[in-house]
Every structure is written in C-alpha cells, then in structure tokens.
Amino acid sequence: MGTRGKVVDLRKLLAERFPQKQLLPGTHLNTGLSFFDEGTGGGLAKGAITELISPKESAGSASLIYALLQAAHRERYFLALIDGQDSFDPQPMGNARLQNLLWVRCRKAAEAIKAADLVLRDGNFPLVIVDLVLNGRDELRKIPQTSWYRLQRLVEVAPTACLALTRQSMISSAQLKIVLENLWTLKTFAEENALSQLRVRLQRSHLHRENGGRRAVGASS
C-alpha cells in the first residue's frame, strides 16, 4: 500500500475513533484556567498557532498539559497531544480522562511536525498540542519556518486551537507568544494548589494589538 493509501486509512481511523461533535462556539477555546484565559484574552485562539515558551526546565508546562486534558474531559471534547520526545506520563490522569486524548508518541521534532500536519488536516480536534519542550536545540533549528507556516495555513481554516510548547521562541507564524515565568521546586509540585502558581507573560500578539505587546498575568492576580 502506498503512502497516500496509508494516510487515507489513518484519517478514516481518526474519524471513527474521534468522531466530530458539535463545534464549540466562539473564537477562543476556553481552558477553564482563569490565569491562562485572562493572559491570552479569552483562551486559546481558534484558527491560530499559540506558542507557549517554557525557558526553564521546571516552569510547569507538563502540569499545564494535564490541566488542559482535564478541561477537555470536563467539556467533552477531544485533544490531540503530539509528544515530541515521548515524555508524557499518562498514569496520573486515569483511564476516564484519557478517553478524550489522542497521544501521538514521537522521538524527534521532525516526526512531531509531520504528525501535527496530519492531525490538523483531519480537523476533528478542537485542541492540538505540539510539545517540543524536551527536544534538543539542534533538531529544532532544523525545522524550517516554512513548516510552521504550512501548519498555520492548515489551522486557520479549521475550528482548532493549536498550542506549541517550546523552550525558546522559534515560530515566526505564531499569532500569539506567551512565556511561562515559573521556576518550580519539589516543594511546589507537592502542594495541592501548585497549578494556581503558574505565571504567564504575553510576549507578542497579532490577535490583540491593543494590549501593547507585553502583559504579565499571574494566577493569583
């Protein structure tokens, strides 16, 4: 079977496993996380790529993924996680929450970009997360900007929000760039309200120019 036939079969499988339900209304996908929705102007913009920059190893990006998966389960929509370094640990989530997840396990950034291309073409997922936080800088630099522009063209015609997690700013086509400004310790992870301590800063926005380009928002503000 040729490559095209395999892609068609995979799309059919995705449509059967993750049937498209009634589209969520609005221009933003509300995450239910007040600090995040306030910091992004109402949630994750649909039809756009949002780049979440996590410059520090313990900035809380993994905890944010868990929270977004919980929101998908709560609001009953599907989420696709493109795992660029096969680092996601599903055990803390429980089987019920995992029913709303398509987990694509990759070992290289190039594989993750190809997977994101396929999933965005499918169009059945209100939220697609591309996690490249743990991928090395050398392989990330090899991703041409044309690849990101291609993904942007795919997402802008779909009712989908695409969230790309990176270690440093690297996506020219991202309409929104936000930065996680945390440095968590083992003590932080042990606290019940650890997620509420996340801090995000708006670095650049082509969606809300009236905000002046930079804004700091904390969970407790």
Side-chain angles (χ1 to χ4, degrees):
M1 180 184 296
T3 302
R4 179 172 297 181
K6 292 180 180 178
V7 171
V8 171
D9 286 346
L10 182 54
R11 288 179 180 172
K12 181 179 179 181
L13 179 62
L14 288 174
E16 293 174 352
R17 176 64 182 83
F18 299 94
Q20 189 171 29
K21 297 184 177 181
Q22 183 177 1
L23 299 179
L24 301 177
T27 59
H28 287 75
L29 182 66
N30 190 288
T31 68
L33 305 172
S34 59
F35 72 92
F36 192 83
D37 292 338
E38 291 171 6
T40 55
L44 292 168
K46 299 177 183 178
I49 295 177
T50 296
E51 183 178 13
L52 178 69
I53 303 163
S54 181
K56 302 172 184 176
E57 291 186 3
S58 300
S61 60
S63 295
L64 181 60
I65 291 177
Y66 288 135
L68 293 174
L69 183 53
Q70 290 176 345
H73 175 69
R74 182 175 62 251
E75 300 298 328
R76 298 183 180 180
Y77 62 83
F78 295 121
L79 180 158
L81 172 60
I82 313 298
D83 189 356
Q85 193 68 333
D86 195 14
S87 60
F88 176 70
D89 180 9
Q91 186 173 0
M93 299 305 302
N95 290 332
R97 292 180 177 87
L98 294 177
Q99 292 178 1
N100 294 77
L101 173 68
L102 171 66
W103 178 22
V104 183
R105 305 171 68 177
C106 306
R107 296 297 301 176
K108 298 180 180 179
E111 295 176 357
I113 296 300
K114 292 179 180 179
D117 185 293
L118 179 61
V119 171
L120 288 174
R121 288 179 189 276
D122 179 67
N124 278 351
F125 297 88
L127 177 57
V128 175
I129 300 175
V130 184
D131 184 7
L132 301 175
V133 167
L134 295 182
N135 291 87
R137 291 186 179 184
D138 289 341
E139 61 174 313
L140 293 178
R141 279 195 289 263
K142 294 178 181 178
I143 301 175
Q145 288 300 322
T146 52
S147 294
W148 291 112
Y149 280 107
R150 183 176 68 253
L151 295 183
Q152 172 55 37
R153 288 195 296 270
L154 291 174
V155 74
E156 66 188 10
V157 296
T160 298
C162 181
L163 177 64
L165 278 60
T166 61
R167 183 69 74 193
Q168 59 185 9
S169 178
M170 57 174 285
I171 306 176
S172 299
S173 60
Q175 283 88 335
L176 188 66
K177 288 177 178 280
I178 52 181
V179 182
L180 274 178
E181 295 193 319
N182 299 68
L183 183 59
W184 286 13
T185 63
L186 291 176
K187 180 180 178 181
T188 307
F189 285 107
E191 296 176 1
E192 292 185 1
N193 63 338
L195 191 64
S196 67
Q197 299 183 40
L198 282 177
R199 298 290 186 274
V200 297
R201 171 171 56 85
L202 182 62
Q203 183 183 82
R204 186 192 78 182
S205 174
H206 292 331
L207 299 169
H208 310 287
R209 294 183 183 275
E210 68 274 13
N211 289 337
R214 297 177 76 88
R215 178 174 59 181
V217 179
S220 58
S221 61

